[in-house]
Amino acid sequence: MSDTSPLAASDFLSPDTHDVKLRAAWLYHVEQLTQEEVARQLGLNRSKVLRLLAAAREEGLVQISINGRGSDMLRLEQALTARFGLQQAIVVPVSGLSEALAIQAVAHATGRYLSEQINDGISIGVGWGATLHHAIRSLAWRHIRDATVVSLLGEVTHAGADSPSAVAWQLAHFYRTELYQITAPVFVPSPELAQALWQIDEMAKLQARAQALDLVLLSVGDLSRQASIFRRGLLAWDTADSLKAAGAVGDVLCHFVDAAGQIVDHPANQRVMAIHPASLAAVPRIVISSCGARKAQAIIAGIAATRAHTLITDETAARAMLRLAGTA
């Protein structure tokens, strides 16, 4: 028979019991892992997991969603807001999770956050990436009137569920809003063609619309082999090497930036059909949702490039960002 007895007194003396309960509750209720899978992820036996889950319910940490925030996560959030000039940081506990599960955890938090921001008449600009793609699954439905979604990126000829404009389309479809898109490839063959396309009346109007958005939700990419922009073939692999040589650390809306968030001098930046990060300066809420330690430098650059107000990330990225910034 499984041991479902209350937590022992010694458990409550452990400094990490609260955080472990939160992690167990997150994995079981949000990620929908089985109790055996939760036990393996946390390195515990199943009876301990059962006790942790029971205690989480009894203490009100789990209702419809997970209400409690681990003290470690709160400290990371406070450190991020102080160090990077953010108005808000949301750090998701993902210790022991694979990168794929970490992305889904951050995506869930992003979907919940976005659901709370949606209201009548809002205009939202959307980027792309795996995290944003998965975030759509965690949106909460309600009827929204007169809302508008704007895709901030061009498209690819071989489109898929995670292609640049797909997130915007999925968001508009979910809330049944109007959708505005950049009807051109995200990268065109020459700077001259890019300039000519931006001169088209409808494209110029879309740029103006992007500058007047109420909220922007975007992700950032790094220059690793896992980066979507190279893995999907938007740019060739050898372009990453030349971008690194030019000082780039990642991309924001397919614009490659250095560690300070400045657009680097590189041909790829002259051929991109996407809203320039600097043109979003007047947007009152810019949200970056990205995770993973390998993206830490790119996230820092993305915050600088857009002057983001909110960051939704995981604990590994948060700690890596603070290490890079020299913050304990």
Side-chain angles (χ1 to χ4, degrees), residues 66-195:
I66 300 174
N67 293 329
R69 302 301 307 278
S71 57
D72 283 351
M73 302 306 106
L74 292 174
R75 282 193 290 269
L76 286 172
E77 291 171 355
Q78 292 166 356
L80 289 172
T81 55
R83 179 62 183 83
F84 298 108
L86 297 161
Q87 293 179 6
Q88 182 182 15
I90 299 171
V91 178
V92 178
V94 298
S95 179
L97 296 185
S98 65
E99 180 173 332
L101 285 176
I103 288 173
Q104 292 182 31
V106 173
H108 177 80
T110 303
R112 295 295 298 272
Y113 173 88
L114 186 59
S115 298
E116 295 171 358
Q117 306 303 313
I118 297 287
N119 51 47
D120 291 344
I122 193 171
S123 57
I124 305 174
V126 184
W128 78 311
T131 305
L132 302 191
H133 168 65
H134 289 293
I136 302 300
R137 302 175 184 175
S138 297
L139 293 173
W141 161 255
R142 67 176 185 276
H143 181 65
I144 305 297
R145 295 178 296 177
D146 303 320
T148 302
V149 175
V150 178
S151 176
L152 302 177
L153 299 150
E155 194 40 270
V156 293
T157 54
H158 184 197
D162 61 346
S163 58
S165 67
V167 176
W169 185 90
Q170 291 165 355
L171 178 61
H173 179 71
F174 185 85
Y175 285 115
R176 302 170 189 172
T177 72
E178 289 189 80
L179 172 63
Y180 291 85
Q181 295 178 281
I182 298 175
T183 52
V186 66
F187 288 101
V188 295
S190 69
E192 293 77 19
L193 179 54
Q195 292 172 13

Side-chain angles (χ1 to χ4, degrees), residues 16-93:
D16 63 349
T17 296
H18 183 70
D19 289 346
V20 174
K21 278 185 288 191
L22 287 175
R23 293 180 198 282
W26 182 279
L27 292 170
Y28 184 72
H29 293 284
V30 177
E31 295 302 330
Q32 297 184 337
L33 272 62
T34 65
Q35 293 170 358
E36 289 79 7
E37 289 170 333
V38 173
R40 284 197 296 272
Q41 288 279 2
L42 298 180
L44 303 171
N45 58 48
R46 184 170 177 270
S47 63
K48 178 69 173 180
V49 169
L50 286 170
R51 291 158 58 196
L52 289 169
L53 293 173
R57 289 192 298 272
E58 292 168 2
E59 296 173 24
L61 299 181
V62 175
Q63 296 175 359
I64 296 175
S65 60
I66 300 174
N67 293 329
R69 302 301 307 278
S71 57
D72 283 351
M73 302 306 106
L74 292 174
R75 282 193 290 269
L76 286 172
E77 291 171 355
Q78 292 166 356
L80 289 172
T81 55
R83 179 62 183 83
F84 298 108
L86 297 161
Q87 293 179 6
Q88 182 182 15
I90 299 171
V91 178
V92 178

